[in-house]
Amino acid sequence: MMNFKKYILAVSVLTTGMIACGNDNFNGGDPIKPTNPTSGDVKIYTTTSSMSQDFERTFVNFNKTASMSPKTIKIDESKTFQTMDGFGSAITGSTAYNLLKMSETDRAKFLKETFSPTEGMGQSYIRIAIGCSDFSLSEYTLADKPGIENFALQEEELKYVIPVLKEILAINPDIKIMGSPWTPPTWMKVNNLTDLKPHESWTGGHLNPKYYQDYATYFVKWIQAMAAQGINIYSITPQNEPLNAGNSASLLMFWPEQQAFVKTALGPKIKAA
């Protein structure tokens, strides 16, 4: 049995951003040609639609004086807000499938450029699906046959996602991994919380309160199964896009449902494990 020291129930905001900073300096009417520094306060990776820049790395420094740039970031070090756990990417079944179609050399180069904190972008967080996502090779969960005793990792995890995660962890052992489900097993779903009629569809529906305990066990079994594969899970969310019932593989899970599920089932089950 694993020792669950700490788990974080997190809200996932995966952000990919690009900040352009600069001003025009003129000397006698001729613009000064920009230099290409090899270090700076901010590391920028740029890819343009024309591919004139393809994952090109540049650096800029923060200024202590005002800038002519129309886009200026001002940092007030006297005020602090939420602590950021990290920034990163989603690794889906289709992502892993395509990465494994690359040559080992090209894939290693790309993963190093993306996840290495010393030789690349240094992304520090990865989100993966618990079961299928809307970018999976097929729609499935980890217990499609009724009964939580039928839980098992599937081909998408074992053949594609886990091998890619292991390659990333070899590059950045400190990377944090978050798990989010797109849908519970369909036998756990109902049409609404009033009628409680079966909702045997990948799309929409609600989690039947009758199966709160089984679904919490599903999370625990997934964390343990991934650990057995050498993948330690740092955080989980109760549901991906909980207000989106139209996604391919989805579940409506309003905040009172999440609160009840975490309080009565998921939290206690994780603590007990």
Side-chain angles (χ1 to χ4, degrees):
M1 181 66 70
M2 288 180 57
N3 178 22
F4 288 76
K5 293 183 179 178
K6 182 181 79 167
Y7 271 93
I8 298 171
L9 298 174
V11 175
S12 170
V13 181
L14 297 177
T15 305
T16 302
M18 180 175 69
I19 302 168
C21 303
N23 53 32
D24 294 325
N25 297 305
F26 290 94
N27 181 14
D30 294 324
I32 298 173
K33 293 183 178 179
T35 59
N36 293 310
T38 57
S39 64
D41 296 328
V42 180
K43 185 191 302 180
I44 301 171
Y45 285 86
T46 305
T47 298
T48 59
S49 59
S50 65
M51 298 302 288
S52 60
Q53 296 181 78
D54 183 10
F55 211 56
E56 185 171 322
R57 183 174 63 175
T58 56
F59 297 87
V60 295
N61 289 312
F62 285 115
N63 296 320
K64 293 186 179 295
T65 57
S67 170
M68 294 173 61
S69 172
K71 296 181 176 66
T72 303
I73 298 174
K74 296 181 180 179
I75 298 177
D76 185 347
E77 296 184 64
S78 67
K79 294 182 179 180
T80 59
F81 298 92
Q82 291 174 296
T83 300
M84 301 304 297
D85 246 359
F87 295 88
S89 305
I91 300 294
T92 64
S94 59
T95 300
Y97 176 85
N98 283 303
L99 283 169
L100 291 170
K101 289 291 186 181
M102 298 170 68
S103 69
E104 285 188 32
T105 301
D106 287 344
R107 183 171 66 254
K109 180 176 182 291
F110 173 76
L111 293 178
K112 187 175 291 185
E113 287 177 339
T114 306
F115 296 105
S116 172
T118 56
E119 301 177 61
M121 190 186 297
Q123 290 191 14
S124 57
Y125 227 118
I126 290 173
R127 183 185 62 164
I128 58 176
I130 303 175
C132 75
S133 74
D134 51 344
F135 281 93
S136 284
L137 304 177
S138 63
E139 292 173 316
Y140 71 97
T141 70
L142 307 177
D144 286 337
K145 184 178 178 180
I148 195 60
E149 67 275 9
N150 295 309
F151 175 95
L153 296 178
Q154 301 299 307
E155 181 181 69
E156 186 160 302
E157 287 80 33
L158 296 170
K159 190 174 179 180
Y160 302 110
V161 176
I162 289 172
V164 168
L165 290 178
K166 287 182 177 180
E167 291 186 8
I168 294 170
L169 285 167
I171 294 167
N172 184 355
D174 296 324
I175 204 156
K176 296 172 180 176
I177 299 174
M178 168 190 287
S180 295
W182 265 241
T183 179
T186 56
W187 52 271
M188 294 186 184
K189 299 170 81 168
V190 290
N191 61 334
N192 58 59
L193 298 180
T194 302
D195 299 330
L196 297 177
K197 293 182 179 179
H199 184 79
E200 296 182 2
S201 170
W202 300 112
T203 304
H206 293 257
L207 178 63
N208 189 341
K210 172 183 175 181
Y211 291 114
Y212 276 8
Q213 299 303 317
D214 278 351
Y215 196 38
T217 299
Y218 181 95
F219 278 81
V220 171
K221 283 181 173 289
W222 178 76
I223 293 168
Q224 292 171 334
M226 293 298 285
Q229 294 287 331
I231 309 295
N232 291 320
I233 303 301
Y234 178 81
S235 60
I236 54 176
T237 72
Q239 174 59 33
N240 170 72
E241 297 182 16
L243 304 183
N244 181 2
N247 208 352
S248 112
S250 55
L251 179 82
L252 274 175
M253 202 178 204
F254 298 122
W255 75 261
E257 296 170 77
Q258 294 188 53
Q259 181 191 49
F261 174 57
V262 171
K263 181 178 180 180
T264 66
L266 184 57
K269 287 279 187 180
I270 287 178
K271 185 176 181 180

